[in-house]
Amino acid sequence: MVRSLLGAQPSTSTPTLATSARVTATLSGAALQARLRLKRSSAYIQAVTRLDAGGHVHSPAATQALIDAIRQELPDVSVDALPHGIVARCYLGAPFEVHTLDCSGQIIQHYKTHESLPALLERARSLALHPGYAFIEVYASRLIAVSASGQTAIIDV
């Protein structure tokens, strides 16, 4: 049994990236893999799934708020280990199929069916279209499929 050093009662809920213990050093290797596997918070899920609302396309402040939500969700992950982007099914209707957030350039783009995504993000397209996933986080060496409940699945590429 894990005991809190500060006397707080242990949580009975599933830990998420937002609620897990913060550390001052950045993570790597197996520790990074374990951290990325944690369930995502509902606040983070909501922030990412609002991309279809369209306000982020016209508002740099809204886009920055989304980037900040990613950093808050992954506070102990070094900047170079953060996702390069996010790919999700687009619900704006035909002809759009998926939308992306390029975290490095802070660019949100909606893509039509058969329109190519940037190479790094393209490999997440088919997973993003799967109805079991809310969105896909794209990293250099892995994809993390995130369900609407926040559960994650890591796919090494």
Side-chain angles (χ1 to χ4, degrees):
M1 178 175 164
V2 177
R3 296 184 335 182
S4 171
L5 295 176
L6 300 176
Q9 295 298 318
S11 173
T12 58
S13 64
T14 304
T16 67
L17 284 170
T19 61
S20 60
R22 306 287 187 233
V23 295
T24 56
T26 57
L27 302 172
S28 63
L32 176 62
Q33 181 90 349
R35 173 63 96 211
L36 293 176
R37 191 174 296 284
L38 288 177
K39 182 179 179 181
R40 303 301 190 257
S41 70
S42 60
Y44 175 63
I45 303 273
Q46 289 175 359
V48 173
T49 56
R50 281 186 242 167
L51 282 174
D52 270 335
H56 299 85
V57 174
H58 303 292
S59 170
T63 302
Q64 185 58 49
L66 183 54
I67 299 294
D68 292 343
I70 293 169
R71 289 192 180 121
Q72 288 175 351
E73 190 73 10
L74 304 164
D76 48 2
V77 174
S78 66
V79 172
D80 61 330
L82 286 172
H84 293 282
I86 293 175
V87 181
R89 177 186 293 270
C90 185
Y91 293 99
L92 294 179
F96 297 104
E97 183 177 51
V98 296
H99 55 255
T100 63
L101 167 64
D102 178 341
C103 296
S104 61
Q106 300 182 3
I107 299 168
I108 295 171
Q109 179 72 38
H110 294 266
Y111 289 88
K112 297 176 183 176
T113 304
H114 305 296
E115 186 177 5
S116 296
L117 279 68
L120 194 60
L121 301 178
E122 182 67 44
R123 59 195 176 143
R125 182 185 215 133
S126 61
L127 278 175
L129 295 173
H130 189 281
Y133 302 125
F135 56 88
I136 311 302
E137 297 173 347
V138 179
Y139 298 80
S141 62
R142 68 181 58 95
L143 303 174
I144 299 182
V146 181
S147 71
S149 69
Q151 296 298 324
T152 61
I154 296 179
I155 300 101
D156 290 322
V157 290

